[in-house]
Amino acid sequence: HARGAFTGATAAREGRFEAAHGGTLLLDEIGEVPLSIQVKLLRVLQEREIERLGENQTRKIDVRIIAATHRDLPAMVRIGEFRADLYYPLRVLPIHVPALRDRREDIPLLVQPLLANMRGPRRDVQVSAEALDALCAHDWPGNVRELANALEYALVHADGTTVLPHHL
């Protein structure tokens, strides 16, 4: 927004597209974006320019877009909940990532990096083989986010340097 665009706008502030200029912007949960915003997003993608709130000046942007969703966008397009003219530019290179329950072999590969991101000073915490088996047996309806939360919960409840099944 521009300085003075609204009460409290004491300084200009760049938005996400402007900040990502020359790089990549992740639009997470694109299927949740209301139709009223989809039309504005489409304009940004087509024109490759933005306009700050409170300004009449357009600014060119060069941004690579990655859009992610758990929704069925083609079905949403068919029933009018997602704009077809926005869907097609976003699906240039579709990548389907299966649910974690369908790729349980990835769980052991994810556990240590997830723990490393949340451990802080407790770098010596490990996951026992039994706890890892329990993690691999779970269906993970919340996917990797749920796995990360389960590991954080286990770290809080682990009384030593090893996460055991009952800590989960």
Side-chain angles (χ1 to χ4, degrees), residues 133-146:
D133 288 344
L135 292 171
C136 290
H138 187 65
D139 277 339
W140 303 111
N143 286 304
V144 177
R145 288 182 182 136
E146 183 184 359

PDB file of all heavy atoms in Angstrom, residues 133-146:
ATOM      1  N   ASP A 133       7.850 -46.827  14.038  1.00  0.00           N
ATOM      2  CA  ASP A 133       6.852 -47.781  13.534  1.00  0.00           C
ATOM      3  C   ASP A 133       5.435 -47.245  13.758  1.00  0.00           C
ATOM      4  O   ASP A 133       4.577 -47.358  12.878  1.00  0.00           O
ATOM      5  CB  ASP A 133       6.989 -49.146  14.222  1.00  0.00           C
ATOM      6  CG  ASP A 133       8.232 -49.901  13.776  1.00  0.00           C
ATOM      7  OD1 ASP A 133       8.824 -49.530  12.729  1.00  0.00           O
ATOM      8  OD2 ASP A 133       8.613 -50.864  14.482  1.00  0.00           O
ATOM      9  N   ALA A 134       5.209 -46.632  14.916  1.00  0.00           N
ATOM     10  CA  ALA A 134       3.887 -46.053  15.206  1.00  0.00           C
ATOM     11  C   ALA A 134       3.585 -44.895  14.253  1.00  0.00           C
ATOM     12  O   ALA A 134       2.458 -44.755  13.774  1.00  0.00           O
ATOM     13  CB  ALA A 134       3.831 -45.586  16.658  1.00  0.00           C
ATOM     14  N   LEU A 135       4.592 -44.089  13.982  1.00  0.00           N
ATOM     15  CA  LEU A 135       4.408 -42.976  13.048  1.00  0.00           C
ATOM     16  C   LEU A 135       4.073 -43.495  11.652  1.00  0.00           C
ATOM     17  O   LEU A 135       3.201 -42.955  10.964  1.00  0.00           O
ATOM     18  CB  LEU A 135       5.663 -42.102  13.001  1.00  0.00           C
ATOM     19  CG  LEU A 135       5.991 -41.305  14.261  1.00  0.00           C
ATOM     20  CD1 LEU A 135       7.371 -40.676  14.147  1.00  0.00           C
ATOM     21  CD2 LEU A 135       4.932 -40.246  14.526  1.00  0.00           C
ATOM     22  N   CYS A 136       4.745 -44.548  11.237  1.00  0.00           N
ATOM     23  CA  CYS A 136       4.515 -45.114   9.908  1.00  0.00           C
ATOM     24  C   CYS A 136       3.153 -45.805   9.802  1.00  0.00           C
ATOM     25  O   CYS A 136       2.605 -45.912   8.699  1.00  0.00           O
ATOM     26  CB  CYS A 136       5.626 -46.097   9.547  1.00  0.00           C
ATOM     27  SG  CYS A 136       7.212 -45.296   9.247  1.00  0.00           S
ATOM     28  N   ALA A 137       2.600 -46.250  10.915  1.00  0.00           N
ATOM     29  CA  ALA A 137       1.317 -46.952  10.910  1.00  0.00           C
ATOM     30  C   ALA A 137       0.125 -45.997  10.879  1.00  0.00           C
ATOM     31  O   ALA A 137      -0.982 -46.397  10.526  1.00  0.00           O
ATOM     32  CB  ALA A 137       1.217 -47.858  12.137  1.00  0.00           C
ATOM     33  N   HIS A 138       0.350 -44.745  11.236  1.00  0.00           N
ATOM     34  CA  HIS A 138      -0.743 -43.773  11.303  1.00  0.00           C
ATOM     35  C   HIS A 138      -1.132 -43.302   9.890  1.00  0.00           C
ATOM     36  O   HIS A 138      -0.295 -43.250   8.999  1.00  0.00           O
ATOM     37  CB  HIS A 138      -0.308 -42.582  12.167  1.00  0.00           C
ATOM     38  CG  HIS A 138      -1.406 -41.607  12.438  1.00  0.00           C
ATOM     39  ND1 HIS A 138      -2.514 -41.917  13.174  1.00  0.00           N
ATOM     40  CD2 HIS A 138      -1.559 -40.306  12.062  1.00  0.00           C
ATOM     41  CE1 HIS A 138      -3.298 -40.860  13.249  1.00  0.00           C
ATOM     42  NE2 HIS A 138      -2.748 -39.862  12.579  1.00  0.00           N
ATOM     43  N   ASP A 139      -2.411 -42.937   9.685  1.00  0.00           N
ATOM     44  CA  ASP A 139      -2.885 -42.525   8.359  1.00  0.00           C
ATOM     45  C   ASP A 139      -2.588 -41.066   8.002  1.00  0.00           C
ATOM     46  O   ASP A 139      -2.665 -40.692   6.841  1.00  0.00           O
ATOM     47  CB  ASP A 139      -4.392 -42.757   8.227  1.00  0.00           C
ATOM     48  CG  ASP A 139      -4.715 -44.191   7.857  1.00  0.00           C
ATOM     49  OD1 ASP A 139      -3.834 -44.882   7.326  1.00  0.00           O
ATOM     50  OD2 ASP A 139      -5.857 -44.608   8.103  1.00  0.00           O
ATOM     51  N   TRP A 140      -2.309 -40.215   8.931  1.00  0.00           N
ATOM     52  CA  TRP A 140      -1.951 -38.812   8.711  1.00  0.00           C
ATOM     53  C   TRP A 140      -2.928 -38.061   7.819  1.00  0.00           C
ATOM     54  O   TRP A 140      -2.561 -37.573   6.753  1.00  0.00           O
ATOM     55  CB  TRP A 140      -0.513 -38.694   8.164  1.00  0.00           C
ATOM     56  CG  TRP A 140       0.471 -39.331   9.078  1.00  0.00           C
ATOM     57  CD1 TRP A 140       1.176 -40.466   8.848  1.00  0.00           C
ATOM     58  CD2 TRP A 140       0.815 -38.896  10.390  1.00  0.00           C
ATOM     59  NE1 TRP A 140       1.940 -40.768   9.942  1.00  0.00           N
ATOM     60  CE2 TRP A 140       1.735 -39.823  10.912  1.00  0.00           C
ATOM     61  CE3 TRP A 140       0.421 -37.831  11.197  1.00  0.00           C
ATOM     62  CZ2 TRP A 140       2.285 -39.718  12.194  1.00  0.00           C
ATOM     63  CZ3 TRP A 140       0.959 -37.721  12.474  1.00  0.00           C
ATOM     64  CH2 TRP A 140       1.879 -38.655  12.962  1.00  0.00           C
ATOM     65  N   PRO A 141      -4.186 -37.914   8.268  1.00  0.00           N
ATOM     66  CA  PRO A 141      -5.135 -37.138   7.461  1.00  0.00           C
ATOM     67  C   PRO A 141      -4.703 -35.675   7.300  1.00  0.00           C
ATOM     68  O   PRO A 141      -5.062 -35.027   6.323  1.00  0.00           O
ATOM     69  CB  PRO A 141      -6.452 -37.247   8.233  1.00  0.00           C
ATOM     70  CG  PRO A 141      -6.088 -37.722   9.589  1.00  0.00           C
ATOM     71  CD  PRO A 141      -4.786 -38.469   9.475  1.00  0.00           C
ATOM     72  N   GLY A 142      -3.896 -35.171   8.232  1.00  0.00           N
ATOM     73  CA  GLY A 142      -3.383 -33.810   8.122  1.00  0.00           C
ATOM     74  C   GLY A 142      -2.040 -33.730   7.422  1.00  0.00           C
ATOM     75  O   GLY A 142      -1.393 -32.682   7.406  1.00  0.00           O
ATOM     76  N   ASN A 143      -1.595 -34.853   6.863  1.00  0.00           N
ATOM     77  CA  ASN A 143      -0.348 -34.929   6.098  1.00  0.00           C
ATOM     78  C   ASN A 143       0.865 -34.462   6.903  1.00  0.00           C
ATOM     79  O   ASN A 143       0.941 -34.713   8.100  1.00  0.00           O
ATOM     80  CB  ASN A 143      -0.480 -34.198   4.760  1.00  0.00           C
ATOM     81  CG  ASN A 143      -1.327 -34.992   3.796  1.00  0.00           C
ATOM     82  OD1 ASN A 143      -1.025 -36.145   3.529  1.00  0.00           O
ATOM     83  ND2 ASN A 143      -2.388 -34.390   3.288  1.00  0.00           N
ATOM     84  N   VAL A 144       1.813 -33.802   6.256  1.00  0.00           N
ATOM     85  CA  VAL A 144       3.086 -33.452   6.889  1.00  0.00           C
ATOM     86  C   VAL A 144       2.888 -32.473   8.038  1.00  0.00           C
ATOM     87  O   VAL A 144       3.599 -32.528   9.036  1.00  0.00           O
ATOM     88  CB  VAL A 144       4.090 -32.908   5.848  1.00  0.00           C
ATOM     89  CG1 VAL A 144       5.379 -32.466   6.503  1.00  0.00           C
ATOM     90  CG2 VAL A 144       4.381 -33.985   4.802  1.00  0.00           C
ATOM     91  N   ARG A 145       1.899 -31.592   7.927  1.00  0.00           N
ATOM     92  CA  ARG A 145       1.635 -30.657   9.033  1.00  0.00           C
ATOM     93  C   ARG A 145       1.250 -31.417  10.296  1.00  0.00           C
ATOM     94  O   ARG A 145       1.674 -31.063  11.396  1.00  0.00           O
ATOM     95  CB  ARG A 145       0.535 -29.669   8.647  1.00  0.00           C
ATOM     96  CG  ARG A 145       0.997 -28.650   7.637  1.00  0.00           C
ATOM     97  CD  ARG A 145      -0.104 -27.657   7.318  1.00  0.00           C
ATOM     98  NE  ARG A 145       0.364 -26.719   6.313  1.00  0.00           N
ATOM     99  CZ  ARG A 145      -0.328 -26.325   5.282  1.00  0.00           C
ATOM    100  NH1 ARG A 145      -1.560 -26.781   5.107  1.00  0.00           N
ATOM    101  NH2 ARG A 145       0.157 -25.469   4.424  1.00  0.00           N
ATOM    102  N   GLU A 146       0.434 -32.445  10.153  1.00  0.00           N
ATOM    103  CA  GLU A 146       0.034 -33.246  11.313  1.00  0.00           C
ATOM    104  C   GLU A 146       1.232 -34.005  11.878  1.00  0.00           C
ATOM    105  O   GLU A 146       1.402 -34.095  13.096  1.00  0.00           O
ATOM    106  CB  GLU A 146      -1.080 -34.219  10.939  1.00  0.00           C
ATOM    107  CG  GLU A 146      -1.574 -35.020  12.140  1.00  0.00           C
ATOM    108  CD  GLU A 146      -2.610 -36.055  11.777  1.00  0.00           C
ATOM    109  OE1 GLU A 146      -2.987 -36.174  10.589  1.00  0.00           O
ATOM    110  OE2 GLU A 146      -3.039 -36.781  12.702  1.00  0.00           O
TER     111      GLU A 146
END
